[in-house]
Each structure stands twice: as structure tokens, then as C-alpha cells.
Coordinates of all heavy atoms in Angstrom, one line a residue:
M29 N 75.9 8.0 76.5 CA 74.9 8.5 75.7 C 74.3 7.3 75.0 O 75.0 6.4 74.6 CB 75.4 9.5 74.8 CG 74.6 10.6 74.3 SD 73.6 11.5 75.4 CE 74.7 12.3 76.6
N30 N 73.0 7.3 74.8 CA 72.4 6.2 74.0 C 71.2 6.8 73.2 O 70.1 6.7 73.7 CB 71.9 5.1 75.0 CG 71.6 3.8 74.2 OD1 71.7 3.7 73.0 ND2 71.1 2.8 75.0
L31 N 71.5 7.5 72.1 CA 70.5 8.1 71.4 C 69.8 7.1 70.4 O 70.5 6.6 69.6 CB 71.1 9.3 70.5 CG 71.9 10.3 71.3 CD1 72.4 11.4 70.4 CD2 71.1 10.9 72.5
R32 N 68.6 6.9 70.6 CA 67.8 5.9 69.8 C 66.6 6.6 69.2 O 65.9 7.3 69.9 CB 67.4 4.7 70.6 CG 68.6 3.9 71.1 CD 69.4 3.3 70.0 NE 70.5 2.5 70.4 CZ 71.7 2.9 70.4 NH1 72.0 4.1 69.9 NH2 72.7 2.2 70.8
Q33 N 66.4 6.4 67.9 CA 65.3 6.9 67.2 C 65.1 8.4 67.5 O 66.0 9.2 67.5 CB 64.0 6.1 67.4 CG 64.0 4.7 66.7 CD 64.2 3.7 67.8 OE1 64.1 3.9 69.0 NE2 64.6 2.5 67.3
N34 N 63.9 8.8 67.9 CA 63.6 10.1 68.3 C 63.2 10.2 69.8 O 62.4 11.1 70.2 CB 62.5 10.7 67.4 CG 63.0 10.9 66.0 OD1 64.1 11.3 65.7 ND2 62.1 10.5 65.0
Y35 N 63.8 9.4 70.6 CA 63.4 9.3 72.0 C 64.3 10.2 72.9 O 64.6 9.8 74.0 CB 63.4 7.9 72.5 CG 62.5 7.0 71.8 CD1 63.0 5.9 71.1 CD2 61.1 7.2 71.7 CE1 62.1 5.0 70.4 CE2 60.3 6.4 71.0 CZ 60.8 5.3 70.3 OH 59.9 4.5 69.7
Y36 N 64.8 11.3 72.4 CA 65.6 12.2 73.1 C 65.4 13.6 72.6 O 64.8 13.8 71.5 CB 67.1 11.8 73.0 CG 67.6 11.8 71.5 CD1 68.1 13.0 71.0 CD2 67.5 10.7 70.7 CE1 68.5 13.1 69.7 CE2 67.9 10.8 69.4 CZ 68.4 11.9 68.9 OH 68.9 12.0 67.6
D37 N 65.8 14.6 73.4 CA 65.7 16.0 73.0 C 66.9 16.7 73.6 O 67.7 16.1 74.4 CB 64.4 16.6 73.4 CG 64.1 16.6 74.9 OD1 65.1 16.6 75.7 OD2 63.0 16.6 75.3
S38 N 67.1 17.9 73.2 CA 68.3 18.7 73.6 C 68.3 18.9 75.1 O 69.4 18.8 75.8 CB 68.3 20.1 72.9 OG 68.4 19.9 71.6
E39 N 67.2 19.1 75.8 CA 67.1 19.3 77.2 C 67.6 18.0 77.9 O 68.4 18.1 78.9 CB 65.7 19.7 77.7 CG 65.7 19.9 79.2 CD 64.3 20.3 79.6 OE1 63.4 20.5 78.8 OE2 64.1 20.4 80.8
T40 N 67.1 16.9 77.5 CA 67.5 15.6 78.1 C 69.0 15.4 78.0 O 69.7 15.0 79.0 CB 66.7 14.4 77.5 OG1 65.3 14.7 77.7 CG2 67.1 13.1 78.2
I41 N 69.6 15.7 76.8 CA 71.0 15.5 76.6 C 71.8 16.4 77.5 O 72.7 16.0 78.2 CB 71.4 15.7 75.1 CG1 70.8 14.6 74.3 CG2 72.9 15.8 75.0 CD1 70.9 14.8 72.8
R42 N 71.4 17.7 77.5 CA 72.1 18.7 78.4 C 72.0 18.4 79.9 O 73.0 18.4 80.6 CB 71.7 20.1 78.1 CG 72.2 20.6 76.7 CD 71.9 22.1 76.5 NE 70.5 22.4 76.7 CZ 69.7 22.5 75.6 NH1 70.1 22.2 74.4 NH2 68.4 22.8 75.9
T43 N 70.8 18.0 80.3 CA 70.6 17.7 81.7 C 71.5 16.4 82.1 O 72.1 16.4 83.1 CB 69.1 17.4 82.0 OG1 68.4 18.6 81.7 CG2 68.9 17.0 83.5
S44 N 71.5 15.4 81.2 CA 72.3 14.2 81.5 C 73.7 14.5 81.6 O 74.4 14.1 82.5 CB 72.0 13.2 80.4 OG 70.7 12.8 80.3
L45 N 74.2 15.4 80.7 CA 75.7 15.7 80.8 C 76.0 16.6 82.0 O 77.1 16.5 82.6 CB 76.1 16.4 79.5 CG 76.1 15.5 78.2 CD1 76.3 16.3 77.0 CD2 77.2 14.4 78.4
T46 N 75.1 17.4 82.4 CA 75.3 18.2 83.6 C 75.4 17.4 84.8 O 76.2 17.7 85.7 CB 74.1 19.2 83.8 OG1 74.1 20.1 82.6 CG2 74.3 20.1 85.0
L47 N 74.7 16.3 84.9 CA 74.7 15.4 86.0 C 75.8 14.3 86.0 O 76.1 13.7 87.0 CB 73.4 14.6 86.1 CG 72.2 15.5 86.4 CD1 70.9 14.8 86.3 CD2 72.3 16.2 87.8
A48 N 76.5 14.2 84.8 CA 77.5 13.2 84.6 C 78.9 13.6 85.0 O 79.2 14.8 85.0 CB 77.5 12.7 83.2
N49 N 79.7 12.6 85.3 CA 81.2 12.8 85.5 C 81.9 12.4 84.2 O 83.0 12.9 84.0 CB 81.7 12.0 86.6 CG 81.2 12.4 88.0 OD1 81.1 13.6 88.2 ND2 80.7 11.5 88.8
A50 N 81.3 11.5 83.5 CA 81.9 11.0 82.2 C 80.8 10.7 81.2 O 79.7 10.5 81.6 CB 82.7 9.7 82.6
V51 N 81.2 10.6 80.0 CA 80.3 10.2 78.9 C 81.0 9.3 77.9 O 82.2 9.5 77.6 CB 79.7 11.5 78.2 CG1 80.7 12.3 77.5 CG2 78.5 11.1 77.3
K52 N 80.2 8.4 77.4 CA 80.7 7.5 76.3 C 79.6 7.6 75.2 O 78.5 7.4 75.5 CB 80.9 6.1 76.8 CG 81.6 5.3 75.7 CD 81.1 3.9 75.4 CE 79.6 3.7 75.2 NZ 79.2 3.4 73.8
M53 N 80.1 7.8 74.0 CA 79.2 7.8 72.9 C 79.9 7.3 71.6 O 81.1 7.1 71.6 CB 78.6 9.2 72.6 CG 79.7 10.2 72.2 SD 79.1 11.9 72.2 CE 79.3 12.3 74.0
N54 N 79.1 7.0 70.6 CA 79.7 6.5 69.4 C 79.8 7.6 68.4 O 79.4 8.7 68.6 CB 78.9 5.3 68.8 CG 77.5 5.6 68.4 OD1 77.2 6.7 67.8 ND2 76.5 4.8 68.7
E55 N 80.4 7.3 67.2 CA 80.7 8.3 66.2 C 79.5 8.9 65.5 O 79.5 9.9 64.9 CB 81.7 7.8 65.2 CG 81.4 6.5 64.5 CD 82.6 5.9 63.8 OE1 83.5 6.6 63.5 OE2 82.5 4.8 63.5
R56 N 78.3 8.2 65.6 CA 77.1 8.8 65.1 C 76.5 9.7 66.1 O 75.8 10.7 65.7 CB 76.1 7.7 64.7 CG 76.5 6.9 63.5 CD 75.5 5.8 63.1 NE 75.3 4.8 64.2 CZ 76.1 3.8 64.4 NH1 77.1 3.6 63.6 NH2 75.8 2.9 65.3
E57 N 76.7 9.5 67.4 CA 76.1 10.3 68.4 C 76.8 11.6 68.7 O 76.2 12.6 69.0 CB 76.0 9.5 69.7 CG 75.0 8.3 69.7 CD 75.2 7.3 70.8 OE1 76.3 7.1 71.3 OE2 74.2 6.7 71.1
L58 N 78.2 11.6 68.6 CA 79.0 12.7 68.9 C 78.5 14.0 68.1 O 78.3 15.0 68.8 CB 80.5 12.5 68.7 CG 81.4 13.7 68.9 CD1 81.2 14.2 70.3 CD2 82.8 13.3 68.6
P59 N 78.4 14.0 66.8 CA 78.0 15.2 66.1 C 76.6 15.7 66.6 O 76.4 16.9 66.7 CB 78.0 14.9 64.6 CG 78.5 13.5 64.5 CD 78.6 12.9 65.9
E60 N 75.7 14.8 66.8 CA 74.3 15.2 67.3 C 74.4 15.8 68.7 O 73.8 16.8 68.9 CB 73.4 13.9 67.3 CG 72.0 14.2 67.7 CD 71.2 15.0 66.7 OE1 71.7 15.2 65.6 OE2 70.1 15.4 67.1
V61 N 75.1 15.2 69.6 CA 75.3 15.7 70.9 C 76.0 17.1 70.9 O 75.5 18.1 71.5 CB 76.1 14.8 71.8 CG1 76.4 15.4 73.2 CG2 75.2 13.5 72.1
A62 N 77.0 17.2 70.1 CA 77.8 18.5 70.0 C 76.8 19.6 69.5 O 76.8 20.7 70.0 CB 79.0 18.3 69.1
R63 N 76.1 19.3 68.4 CA 75.2 20.3 67.9 C 74.1 20.7 68.9 O 73.9 21.9 69.1 CB 74.5 19.7 66.6 CG 73.6 20.6 65.9 CD 72.9 20.0 64.7 NE 71.9 18.9 65.1 CZ 70.7 19.2 65.6 NH1 70.3 20.4 65.7 NH2 69.9 18.2 65.9
R64 N 73.5 19.8 69.5 CA 72.5 20.1 70.5 C 73.0 20.8 71.7 O 72.2 21.4 72.4 CB 71.7 18.8 70.9 CG 70.8 18.3 69.8 CD 70.1 17.0 70.2 NE 69.2 16.6 69.1 CZ 67.9 16.8 69.1 NH1 67.4 17.6 70.0 NH2 67.2 16.4 68.1
C65 N 74.3 20.6 72.0 CA 74.9 21.3 73.2 C 75.6 22.6 72.8 O 76.2 23.3 73.7 CB 75.9 20.3 73.9 SG 75.0 19.0 74.6
G66 N 75.7 22.9 71.5 CA 76.3 24.1 71.1 C 77.8 24.2 71.2 O 78.4 25.2 71.4
V67 N 78.4 23.0 71.1 CA 79.9 23.0 71.1 C 80.4 22.7 69.7 O 79.8 22.0 68.9 CB 80.5 21.9 72.1 CG1 80.0 22.3 73.5 CG2 80.1 20.5 71.7
R68 N 81.6 23.2 69.4 CA 82.2 23.1 68.1 C 83.7 22.7 68.3 O 84.3 22.9 69.3 CB 82.2 24.4 67.4 CG 80.8 24.8 67.1 CD 80.7 26.1 66.3 NE 79.3 26.4 66.2 CZ 78.8 27.4 65.4 NH1 79.7 28.1 64.8 NH2 77.6 27.6 65.4
G69 N 84.2 22.0 67.2 CA 85.6 21.6 67.2 C 85.9 21.1 65.8 O 85.0 20.6 65.1
A70 N 87.2 21.2 65.5 CA 87.6 20.8 64.2 C 87.8 19.3 64.1 O 87.7 18.7 63.0 CB 89.0 21.5 63.8
T71 N 88.0 18.6 65.2 CA 88.2 17.2 65.3 C 87.3 16.5 66.3 O 86.8 17.2 67.2 CB 89.7 16.8 65.6 OG1 89.9 17.3 66.9 CG2 90.6 17.5 64.6
D72 N 87.2 15.2 66.3 CA 86.5 14.5 67.3 C 87.1 14.8 68.7 O 86.4 15.0 69.7 CB 86.5 13.0 67.1 CG 85.7 12.6 65.9 OD1 84.8 13.4 65.4 OD2 85.8 11.5 65.4
S73 N 88.4 14.9 68.8 CA 89.1 15.1 70.0 C 88.7 16.5 70.5 O 88.4 16.7 71.7 CB 90.6 15.0 69.8 OG 91.3 15.3 71.1
D74 N 88.6 17.5 69.6 CA 88.2 18.9 70.0 C 86.8 18.9 70.5 O 86.5 19.6 71.5 CB 88.3 19.8 68.8 CG 89.7 20.1 68.4 OD1 90.7 19.8 69.1 OD2 89.9 20.5 67.2
L75 N 85.9 18.1 69.9 CA 84.5 18.1 70.3 C 84.4 17.5 71.7 O 83.7 18.0 72.6 CB 83.6 17.3 69.3 CG 83.4 18.0 68.0 CD1 82.6 17.1 67.1 CD2 82.6 19.3 68.2
L76 N 85.1 16.4 71.9 CA 85.1 15.7 73.3 C 85.6 16.7 74.3 O 85.0 16.8 75.4 CB 85.9 14.4 73.2 CG 85.3 13.3 72.4 CD1 86.3 12.1 72.3 CD2 84.0 12.9 72.8
L77 N 86.7 17.4 74.1 CA 87.3 18.3 75.0 C 86.3 19.5 75.3 O 86.1 19.9 76.4 CB 88.6 18.8 74.6 CG 89.3 19.7 75.6 CD1 89.6 19.0 76.9 CD2 90.7 20.2 75.0
A78 N 85.6 19.9 74.2 CA 84.6 21.0 74.4 C 83.5 20.6 75.3 O 83.0 21.3 76.1 CB 84.1 21.5 73.0
L79 N 83.1 19.3 75.2 CA 82.0 18.8 76.1 C 82.5 18.7 77.5 O 81.8 19.0 78.4 CB 81.5 17.4 75.5 CG 80.7 17.4 74.3 CD1 80.5 16.0 73.7 CD2 79.3 18.1 74.5
C80 N 83.8 18.2 77.6 CA 84.4 18.2 79.0 C 84.4 19.6 79.6 O 84.0 19.8 80.8 CB 85.8 17.7 78.9 SG 86.0 15.9 78.6
D81 N 84.8 20.6 78.8 CA 84.8 22.0 79.3 C 83.4 22.5 79.7 O 83.2 23.0 80.8 CB 85.4 22.9 78.3 CG 86.9 22.7 78.1 OD1 87.5 22.2 79.0 OD2 87.4 23.1 77.1
K82 N 82.5 22.3 78.8 CA 81.1 22.8 79.0 C 80.4 22.2 80.2 O 79.6 22.9 80.9 CB 80.3 22.7 77.7 CG 78.9 23.4 77.9 CD 78.3 23.6 76.5 CE 77.0 24.4 76.7 NZ 76.6 25.0 75.5
F83 N 80.6 20.9 80.4 CA 79.8 20.2 81.4 C 80.7 19.7 82.6 O 80.2 18.9 83.4 CB 79.1 19.0 80.7 CG 78.0 19.5 79.7 CD1 78.3 19.5 78.4 CD2 76.8 20.0 80.2 CE1 77.4 19.9 77.5 CE2 75.9 20.4 79.3 CZ 76.2 20.4 77.9
A84 N 81.9 20.1 82.7 CA 82.8 19.7 83.7 C 82.9 18.2 83.8 O 83.0 17.6 84.9 CB 82.4 20.3 85.1
L85 N 83.0 17.6 82.7 CA 83.2 16.1 82.6 C 84.7 15.8 82.9 O 85.6 16.5 82.5 CB 82.8 15.6 81.3 CG 81.4 15.8 80.8 CD1 81.2 15.4 79.4 CD2 80.4 15.0 81.7
R86 N 84.9 14.7 83.6 CA 86.2 14.2 83.9 C 86.8 13.4 82.7 O 88.0 13.3 82.6 CB 86.2 13.4 85.2 CG 85.9 14.3 86.4 CD 85.9 13.5 87.6 NE 87.1 12.8 87.9 CZ 87.3 11.9 88.8 NH1 86.3 11.4 89.5 NH2 88.5 11.4 89.0
L87 N 85.8 12.8 81.9 CA 86.3 11.9 80.8 C 85.2 11.9 79.8 O 84.0 11.8 80.1 CB 86.5 10.5 81.3 CG 87.0 9.5 80.3 CD1 88.4 9.8 79.7 CD2 87.0 8.1 80.9
A88 N 85.6 12.0 78.5 CA 84.7 11.8 77.4 C 85.3 10.7 76.5 O 86.5 10.8 76.1 CB 84.5 13.1 76.6
V89 N 84.5 9.7 76.1 CA 85.0 8.6 75.3 C 84.1 8.5 74.1 O 82.9 8.5 74.1 CB 84.9 7.3 76.1 CG1 85.4 6.1 75.3 CG2 85.7 7.4 77.4
L90 N 84.8 8.2 73.0 CA 84.2 8.0 71.7 C 84.6 6.7 71.1 O 85.8 6.4 71.0 CB 84.7 9.1 70.7 CG 84.1 9.0 69.3 CD1 82.6 9.2 69.2 CD2 84.8 10.0 68.3
T91 N 83.6 5.8 70.9 CA 83.8 4.5 70.2 C 83.7 4.7 68.7 O 82.8 5.4 68.3 CB 82.9 3.4 70.8 OG1 81.5 3.8 70.6 CG2 83.1 3.2 72.2
R92 N 84.6 4.1 68.0 CA 84.6 4.3 66.5 C 84.7 3.0 65.7 O 85.3 2.9 64.7 CB 85.9 5.2 66.2 CG 85.9 6.5 66.9 CD 87.0 7.3 66.6 NE 88.3 6.7 67.0 CZ 89.5 7.2 66.9 NH1 89.6 8.5 66.4 NH2 90.6 6.6 67.2
G93 N 84.0 2.0 66.3 CA 83.9 0.7 65.5 C 85.3 0.1 65.3 O 86.1 0.0 66.2
T94 N 85.5 -0.2 64.0 CA 86.8 -0.8 63.6 C 88.0 0.1 63.8 O 89.2 -0.3 63.8 CB 86.8 -1.3 62.2 OG1 86.5 -0.2 61.3 CG2 85.7 -2.4 62.0
R95 N 87.7 1.4 64.0 CA 88.8 2.4 64.2 C 89.2 2.6 65.7 O 90.0 3.4 66.0 CB 88.5 3.7 63.6 CG 88.3 3.7 62.1 CD 88.1 5.0 61.4 NE 87.0 5.8 62.0 CZ 87.2 7.0 62.5 NH1 88.4 7.6 62.4 NH2 86.2 7.7 63.0
G96 N 88.6 1.8 66.6 CA 88.9 1.8 68.0 C 88.2 2.9 68.7 O 87.0 3.1 68.5
A97 N 88.9 3.5 69.7 CA 88.2 4.4 70.6 C 89.2 5.6 70.9 O 90.4 5.5 70.7 CB 87.8 3.7 71.9
L98 N 88.6 6.7 71.3 CA 89.3 7.9 71.6 C 88.8 8.3 73.0 O 87.6 8.4 73.3 CB 89.0 9.0 70.6 CG 89.5 10.4 70.9 CD1 91.0 10.5 71.0 CD2 89.0 11.4 69.9
L99 N 89.8 8.5 73.9 CA 89.5 8.9 75.3 C 90.1 10.3 75.5 O 91.2 10.5 75.1 CB 90.1 8.0 76.3 CG 89.5 6.6 76.5 CD1 89.8 5.7 75.3 CD2 89.9 5.9 77.8
R100 N 89.2 11.2 76.1 CA 89.7 12.6 76.2 C 89.3 13.2 77.5 O 88.2 13.0 78.0 CB 89.0 13.4 75.0 CG 89.6 14.8 74.8 CD 91.0 14.7 74.2 NE 91.5 16.0 73.8 CZ 92.3 16.7 74.6 NH1 92.8 16.3 75.7 NH2 92.7 17.9 74.1
S101 N 90.2 13.9 78.1 CA 90.0 14.7 79.3 C 90.9 15.9 79.2 O 91.5 16.1 78.2 CB 90.3 13.9 80.6 OG 91.7 13.8 80.7
H102 N 90.9 16.7 80.2 CA 91.7 17.9 80.2 C 93.2 17.6 80.2 O 94.1 18.3 79.8 CB 91.4 18.8 81.4 CG 90.1 19.5 81.2 ND1 88.9 19.0 81.8 CD2 89.7 20.5 80.4 CE1 87.9 19.7 81.5 NE2 88.3 20.7 80.6
T103 N 93.5 16.4 80.7 CA 95.0 16.0 80.9 C 95.3 14.8 80.0 O 96.4 14.3 80.1 CB 95.3 15.7 82.3 OG1 94.5 14.6 82.8 CG2 95.1 16.9 83.2
L104 N 94.3 14.2 79.3 CA 94.5 13.0 78.6 C 93.9 13.0 77.2 O 92.8 13.5 77.0 CB 93.9 11.9 79.4 CG 93.8 10.5 78.9 CD1 95.2 9.8 79.0 CD2 92.8 9.7 79.6
S105 N 94.7 12.5 76.2 CA 94.2 12.2 74.9 C 94.8 10.9 74.4 O 96.0 10.9 74.1 CB 94.5 13.4 74.0 OG 94.0 13.1 72.7
V106 N 93.9 9.9 74.4 CA 94.4 8.6 74.1 C 93.6 8.0 73.0 O 92.4 8.0 73.1 CB 94.4 7.6 75.3 CG1 94.9 6.2 74.9 CG2 95.3 8.2 76.4
E107 N 94.2 7.5 71.9 CA 93.5 6.7 70.9 C 93.9 5.2 71.0 O 95.1 4.9 71.2 CB 93.9 7.2 69.5 CG 93.4 8.6 69.2 CD 93.5 9.0 67.8 OE1 93.0 8.2 66.9 OE2 94.0 10.1 67.5
V108 N 92.9 4.4 71.0 CA 93.2 2.9 71.2 C 92.6 2.3 69.9 O 91.5 2.5 69.5 CB 92.4 2.4 72.4 CG1 92.7 0.9 72.6 CG2 92.8 3.2 73.7
S109 N 93.5 1.4 69.4 CA 93.0 0.7 68.2 C 92.1 -0.5 68.6 O 92.2 -1.0 69.7 CB 94.2 0.2 67.4 OG 95.0 -0.7 68.2
A110 N 91.3 -0.9 67.6 CA 90.4 -2.0 67.9 C 91.1 -3.3 67.4 O 91.7 -3.3 66.4 CB 89.1 -1.9 67.1
P111 N 91.0 -4.3 68.2 CA 91.6 -5.6 67.8 C 90.9 -6.2 66.6 O 89.7 -6.0 66.4 CB 91.5 -6.5 69.0 CG 90.3 -5.9 69.8 CD 90.3 -4.5 69.5
R112 N 91.6 -6.8 65.7 CA 91.0 -7.5 64.6 C 90.1 -8.6 65.1 O 90.6 -9.4 65.9 CB 92.0 -7.9 63.6 CG 92.8 -6.8 62.9 CD 93.8 -7.3 61.9 NE 93.2 -8.0 60.8 CZ 92.8 -7.5 59.7 NH1 93.0 -6.2 59.5 NH2 92.3 -8.2 58.7
T113 N 88.9 -8.7 64.6 CA 88.0 -9.8 65.0 C 87.0 -10.0 64.0 O 86.7 -9.2 63.1 CB 87.3 -9.4 66.4 OG1 86.5 -10.5 66.8 CG2 86.4 -8.2 66.2
E114 N 86.4 -11.2 64.0 CA 85.3 -11.5 63.2 C 84.0 -11.2 63.9 O 83.7 -11.8 64.9 CB 85.3 -13.0 62.8 CG 84.1 -13.4 61.9 CD 84.2 -14.9 61.5 OE1 85.2 -15.5 61.6 OE2 83.1 -15.4 61.3
V115 N 83.2 -10.2 63.4 CA 82.0 -9.8 64.0 C 80.9 -10.8 63.7 O 80.6 -11.0 62.5 CB 81.6 -8.4 63.6 CG1 80.3 -8.0 64.2 CG2 82.7 -7.4 64.0
V116 N 80.3 -11.3 64.7 CA 79.1 -12.2 64.5 C 77.8 -11.4 64.8 O 76.9 -11.6 64.0 CB 79.2 -13.4 65.5 CG1 78.0 -14.3 65.3 CG2 80.5 -14.2 65.2
D117 N 77.9 -10.5 65.8 CA 76.7 -9.8 66.1 C 77.1 -8.5 66.9 O 78.0 -8.6 67.8 CB 75.8 -10.6 67.0 CG 74.4 -10.0 67.2 OD1 74.2 -8.8 67.0 OD2 73.5 -10.8 67.6
F118 N 76.6 -7.4 66.6 CA 76.9 -6.1 67.3 C 76.2 -6.0 68.6 O 76.6 -5.1 69.4 CB 76.6 -4.9 66.4 CG 77.6 -4.8 65.3 CD1 77.1 -5.1 64.0 CD2 78.9 -4.4 65.4 CE1 78.0 -5.0 62.9 CE2 79.7 -4.2 64.4 CZ 79.3 -4.5 63.1
V119 N 75.2 -6.8 68.9 CA 74.4 -6.6 70.1 C 75.2 -6.8 71.3 O 76.0 -7.7 71.5 CB 73.2 -7.6 70.1 CG1 72.5 -7.6 71.5 CG2 72.2 -7.4 69.0
G120 N 75.2 -5.8 72.2 CA 75.9 -5.8 73.4 C 77.4 -5.3 73.3 O 78.1 -5.2 74.3
S121 N 77.8 -4.9 72.1 CA 79.2 -4.5 72.0 C 79.5 -3.2 72.8 O 80.5 -3.0 73.4 CB 79.6 -4.3 70.5 OG 78.7 -3.3 69.9
S122 N 78.5 -2.3 72.8 CA 78.7 -1.0 73.5 C 78.8 -1.3 75.0 O 79.6 -0.7 75.7 CB 77.6 0.0 73.2 OG 77.7 1.1 73.9
E123 N 77.9 -2.1 75.5 CA 77.9 -2.5 76.9 C 79.2 -3.2 77.3 O 79.7 -2.9 78.4 CB 76.6 -3.4 77.2 CG 75.3 -2.6 77.1 CD 74.8 -2.5 75.7 OE1 75.4 -3.0 74.7 OE2 73.7 -1.9 75.5
A124 N 79.7 -4.1 76.5 CA 80.9 -4.8 76.8 C 82.1 -3.8 76.8 O 82.9 -3.9 77.7 CB 81.2 -5.9 75.7
F125 N 82.1 -2.8 75.9 CA 83.2 -1.8 75.9 C 83.1 -1.0 77.2 O 84.1 -0.8 77.8 CB 83.0 -0.9 74.7 CG 84.0 0.2 74.7 CD1 85.3 0.1 74.1 CD2 83.8 1.4 75.3 CE1 86.2 1.1 74.1 CE2 84.7 2.4 75.4 CZ 85.9 2.3 74.8
T126 N 81.9 -0.6 77.5 CA 81.7 0.3 78.7 C 82.1 -0.5 80.0 O 82.8 0.0 80.9 CB 80.3 0.8 78.8 OG1 80.0 1.5 77.7 CG2 80.1 1.6 80.1
A127 N 81.8 -1.8 80.1 CA 82.2 -2.6 81.2 C 83.7 -2.7 81.3 O 84.3 -2.5 82.4 CB 81.6 -4.0 81.1
A128 N 84.4 -2.9 80.2 CA 85.8 -3.0 80.2 C 86.5 -1.7 80.6 O 87.4 -1.6 81.3 CB 86.3 -3.5 78.8
L129 N 85.9 -0.6 80.1 CA 86.4 0.7 80.4 C 86.3 1.0 81.9 O 87.3 1.4 82.5 CB 85.7 1.8 79.6 CG 86.0 3.2 79.9 CD1 87.4 3.6 79.6 CD2 85.0 4.2 79.2
L130 N 85.1 0.7 82.4 CA 84.9 0.9 83.9 C 85.9 0.1 84.7 O 86.4 0.5 85.7 CB 83.5 0.7 84.3 CG 82.5 1.7 83.7 CD1 81.1 1.3 84.0 CD2 82.8 3.1 84.3
M131 N 86.1 -1.2 84.3 CA 87.0 -2.0 85.1 C 88.4 -1.4 85.0 O 89.1 -1.4 86.0 CB 87.0 -3.4 84.5 CG 85.7 -4.2 84.8 SD 85.5 -4.4 86.6 CE 86.9 -5.4 87.1
G132 N 88.8 -0.9 83.9 CA 90.1 -0.3 83.8 C 90.3 0.9 84.6 O 91.3 1.2 85.2
L133 N 89.2 1.7 84.7 CA 89.3 2.9 85.5 C 89.3 2.6 87.0 O 89.9 3.3 87.8 CB 88.0 3.8 85.2 CG 88.0 4.5 83.8 CD1 86.7 5.1 83.5 CD2 89.2 5.4 83.6
L134 N 88.7 1.5 87.4 CA 88.6 1.2 88.8 C 89.9 0.5 89.3 O 90.1 0.5 90.5 CB 87.4 0.2 89.0 CG 86.0 0.9 88.9 CD1 84.9 -0.2 89.0 CD2 85.8 2.0 89.9
E135 N 90.7 0.0 88.4 CA 91.9 -0.7 88.8 C 92.9 0.3 89.3 O 93.1 1.4 88.9 CB 92.5 -1.5 87.7 CG 91.7 -2.8 87.5 CD 92.3 -3.7 86.4 OE1 93.2 -3.3 85.7 OE2 91.9 -4.8 86.4

């Protein structure tokens, strides 16, 4: 998911998730996606699992900045901590995370 300014709507989000096998979003995007898709949960993990259920996703991933990431599927719930680092620039961080995730899944 890549929600920027007002360049998205509920239909686009739902259609994208219907066509997807997996989704990765950040902690600002998750509540917006959940609201627009009509899913509820008490925790981030619950919301990710609800999205997996509703859209038959194999994997839902939440990036949480300095708090690491949460990976969720019907058979998996993994929290990964973020390594301590000095941030120089956030540009490309999401793309780098996604590339590393995909490499890990392909191995």
C-alpha cells in the first residue's frame, strides 16, 4: 500500500487488495485501510489478520519505524525489532524493506 495525500479512494484500496496475494503498509496506513475496508480489530495484529481473511491474502506486513515490523498470516505472527541505526534520510526506506522482505520470502 502506498497512500499519499488524497490520491486514493476506498474502491482503489479494496480492488488492489482483492488482486493481491500480500500487502505491506506502515502504521499510518493500516488504520485508514482497515476503516475503508470495514475491518476491525483490537490490535494491529488483529487488523492484519482481518485483512488476510477478507481479501484472502497470504501475508500482511506492517512496518512500524523504530518499533520494527509485524508479519501476519493465518499461520504466522512474527514481530521483528528494528536494528539501532542513525537515520540520515527516510527516502527509500520502505522500498529497501520491501526488497529485503521479498528476498527473504524467495529464499
